[in-house]
Amino acid sequence: MKMLLASLLLLSSLAHAQTYDYSKKWGIGASLGYNTPIFGNHFNTAADSRETWGLHVRYHLNKASGLEAGFTRHNFDDTDLALKVTDISYFRRLSPTKRFTPILGAGAGIVDISKYDPSSLKMGLKLRAGAEYALNHCFSLGANLDYQHVNKMLF
């Protein structure tokens, strides 16, 4: 009995829980997506949406939240215009130490609409809902729905 108890204690000390705590860690990423109009946006319908791609840098403030700086380009088939968004977002991992976690976020930044008059710089606001799956402690895959609102600059 003592041998069984000693074996179980040894085994339990060797086993550890898999947690995915990214506190105080940096991350880089890339994204691919597709533009689709919502709320009757006539520009996206007329311009015929195409792919979106982006590059991102993240810093995890703690195990549940962090900041993400990103550059995203939205392309269109029937026009030379493209939206180039540079923004910073706050995100929250709802199950922070689990392998699979839902994510919510919000951000703001500058939108450069190429070849647009009178000014190509606009204000961009973003809302995000999605999920991430940790492949291991260094890599994860995510699927996000981003709502990108483009409006006049405040200044």
Side-chain angles (χ1 to χ4, degrees):
M1 184 67 165
K2 290 181 184 179
M3 187 64 156
L4 178 61
L5 186 57
S7 297
L8 289 175
L9 286 173
L10 178 63
L11 183 60
S12 67
S13 69
L14 295 175
H16 61 77
Q18 282 278 19
T19 61
Y20 297 89
D21 184 356
Y22 299 121
S23 297
K24 309 292 184 205
K25 293 184 181 174
W26 289 90
I28 58 171
S31 61
L32 294 173
Y34 183 77
N35 300 314
T36 186
I38 59 173
F39 302 123
N41 186 319
H42 301 296
F43 172 77
N44 279 351
T45 304
D48 195 14
S49 301
R50 212 171 73 197
E51 80 278 349
T52 298
W53 61 267
L55 301 171
H56 316 278
V57 175
R58 262 188 186 180
Y59 181 71
H60 294 266
L61 301 167
N62 54 48
K63 66 182 178 181
S65 61
L67 297 173
E68 179 177 285
F71 173 81
T72 308
R73 182 181 170 102
H74 302 266
N75 296 314
F76 303 94
D77 276 336
D78 296 336
T79 181
D80 291 337
L81 295 179
L83 303 180
K84 294 176 264 180
V85 182
T86 305
D87 62 8
I88 188 161
S89 300
Y90 170 82
F91 64 89
R92 182 110 180 134
R93 302 172 81 234
L94 301 181
S95 299
T97 59
K98 304 272 172 114
R99 178 166 258 190
F100 177 81
T101 179
I103 290 187
L104 296 176
I110 303 293
V111 179
D112 182 7
I113 304 174
S114 59
K115 301 179 184 177
Y116 184 80
D117 288 328
S119 171
S120 65
L121 293 181
K122 304 290 181 200
M123 179 182 67
L125 301 173
K126 179 179 10 182
L127 292 176
R128 170 173 286 171
E132 280 187 2
Y133 179 77
L135 298 173
N136 57 39
H137 289 282
C138 296
F139 296 100
S140 66
L141 291 176
N144 297 315
L145 293 173
D146 285 350
Y147 172 71
Q148 181 72 56
H149 179 77
V150 178
N151 204 350
K152 299 177 200 172
M153 291 298 283
L154 296 176
F155 47 88

